[in-house]
Amino acid sequence: MTAQAASRPPARRPTPDIRIVRAIWPAMLAGTVSLLPFTVYSTFLVPISETVRADAAAVGALRGLGGVAALLTGVAIAPLLGRWPRHRAVAGALTLLALCCLTATTGSYAALVAFCLGTGVATAVLTPALLALATSRFTDPADGGRAATLVSTSTTLAAVLAGPVVGGLAAWRGWAGALWVTAALAVLTGLAFLRSADPGAEQAAAPGYRESLRRLRSRPDLLAVVAVAGLRTTSFMGYLSFLAVTYHDRFGTDAGTFTLVWTLSGASFVVGGYLAGRWARDDGAAGPARPRLLLLAGLGGGLVAVLTVFLVPWLPGALAATTVMGFGHAVVGATATSLIAQRAGRLTPATFGLQAAGMSLGVFAGAALGGAGLAVAGSPGLAVALAVPTALAVLLVRSATRTRIS
């Protein structure tokens, strides 16, 4: 046995997932509730448009205001998140979500504008605050990273199952009833968050706004992780924007059948996120090798899949590519979350805030990039356009995993 091996401390057994879930269940619940407002909006777009007497396309486009609001809010507040009591930030964001839902039910176009803007602002605060709070519940960085990925995975699982849930909520008074129930759930979840808060877990004396920005600029590894997350989102969300059209045009898939394709994609994303969260747990022995391998494998799989799904002429190949796409991108997302939770230290809230803003930007960039590629060169142009962000992310992997700073 070498002297180095003899001096290495024994590996600590990882905390079981069930114990982590018991500690962070309010964060997982809050993440689930945060998905409901826009899910109701998208699901009942036609009756909502009829209620406000506006064109469905115009009402649907309003959701883009939420993304713009989330992007601007995320960039503006990211350096401040570390100075706010996180359980209060989450409760405040959930209260804003509840108010937005109630506002939308008044049934005017202006109310829908306020709903979309307010929901975007609330989620820009809520998502990074939940991830940072889950991370802070554990002193071991590996456990903190696992907690953050479990929050993300539970939110993704809720997105996959949201359709039937929203349908059940709407059984009482249609879409307005669904938003009323969502508002009540948001308030109750916020209260549960306040009651379960552990003030001792909050970080004290976090750096101020300018100091946070200065420290982030001195951490190229964290900025590279944020960039990888944003580029991954650009490719994946652009892919989702045109997936239904591709399956319809190439394979004659109707809307009902496509829901099975969507479920396949979502299920593979959930499984990939859950497993990658376990694989990315870093006990310090592997150094950067493990996260680097996970990022490269996920991005490589995603790169092959996005080129395949829009070009392959036979259905089994497209379904296989859809599965790989969801799984690979989930691996990248979970690994990026783990890297931030394990390495950012006092900059964790600010970094999660920037990551959320970058992902909001990716949603719009993906749709725009994919649309441009489709307009210029059809399906091959769409495939290549959405492969470019993934290829750029591959170039940043070494920078994202180069250093380890606690």
Side-chain angles (χ1 to χ4, degrees):
M1 180 182 295
T2 65
Q4 181 180 6
S7 62
R8 181 183 299 162
R12 190 186 68 84
R13 293 188 61 184
T15 302
D17 283 352
I18 187 62
R19 288 182 57 188
I20 295 178
V21 169
R22 288 172 181 168
I24 64 169
W25 70 264
M28 298 173 72
L29 178 60
T32 300
V33 172
S34 71
L35 287 175
L36 295 178
F38 273 144
T39 302
V40 172
Y41 190 81
S42 298
T43 303
F44 297 97
L45 181 60
V46 173
I48 290 174
S49 302
E50 293 173 349
T51 299
V52 301
R53 299 178 181 178
D55 181 69
V59 174
L62 290 179
R63 182 168 176 177
L65 294 176
V68 174
L71 171 61
L72 296 178
T73 303
V75 172
I77 70 166
L80 295 174
L81 285 173
R83 299 182 68 84
W84 296 347
R86 292 166 200 159
H87 63 289
R88 294 182 182 177
V90 170
L94 288 169
T95 300
L96 178 57
L97 277 181
L99 292 174
C100 291
C101 291
L102 295 178
T103 299
T105 61
T106 60
S108 69
Y109 192 82
L112 295 183
V113 172
F115 166 80
C116 292
L117 287 172
T119 301
V121 171
T123 53
V125 176
L126 186 60
T127 300
L130 288 174
L131 294 175
L133 193 146
T135 300
S136 69
R137 295 300 300 269
F138 301 91
T139 57
D140 186 275
D143 289 340
R146 181 57 176 153
T149 59
L150 283 174
V151 171
S152 298
T153 300
S154 65
T155 303
T156 304
L157 178 61
V160 175
L161 302 176
V165 172
V166 167
L169 295 179
W172 176 66
R173 293 184 178 271
W175 68 269
L179 287 179
W180 287 335
V181 174
T182 299
L185 290 174
V187 171
L188 292 175
T189 304
L191 292 175
F193 228 101
L194 291 175
R195 293 190 62 182
S196 66
D198 179 9
E202 299 288 349
Q203 287 182 318
Y209 193 95
R210 293 183 178 179
E211 179 66 11
S212 292
L213 290 177
R214 186 188 67 79
R215 293 189 182 187
L216 280 170
R217 285 196 298 268
S218 69
R219 292 292 303 273
D221 58 320
L222 295 181
L223 295 178
V225 172
V226 169
V228 168
L231 290 167
R232 178 209 71 78
T233 304
T234 299
S235 180
F236 191 69
M237 297 308 294
Y239 148 87
L240 290 180
S241 297
F242 297 95
L243 190 62
V245 175
T246 298
Y247 270 88
H248 177 271
D249 292 346
R250 186 169 300 147
F251 308 113
T253 306
D254 58 27
T257 305
F258 180 73
T259 59
L260 299 178
V261 178
W262 191 267
T263 301
L264 173 65
S265 176
S268 62
F269 196 95
V270 170
V271 173
Y274 178 80
L275 293 177
R278 297 177 65 90
W279 297 334
R281 296 185 74 150
D282 185 4
D283 61 4
R290 186 184 304 167
R292 185 174 298 166
L293 177 61
L294 288 172
L295 289 176
L296 290 175
L299 290 170
L303 184 61
V304 172
V306 77
L307 291 171
T308 301
V309 75
F310 293 119
L311 298 176
V312 69
W314 46 295
L315 182 59
L319 292 174
T322 295
T323 303
V324 172
M325 187 74 175
F327 190 93
H329 277 264
V331 168
V332 178
T335 304
T337 297
S338 292
L339 283 170
I340 294 172
Q342 294 172 2
R343 302 185 179 191
R346 295 172 67 194
L347 293 175
T348 297
T351 309
F352 276 136
L354 283 183
Q355 181 194 41
M359 292 170 69
S360 295
L361 177 61
V363 172
F364 293 96
L369 193 61
L374 186 63
V376 171
S379 292
L382 173 62
V384 172
L386 296 180
V388 169
T390 307
L392 292 176
V394 170
L395 299 178
L396 294 172
V397 167
R398 187 170 185 83
S399 295
T401 58
R402 179 174 295 148
T403 58
R404 177 185 174 91
I405 302 177
S406 59

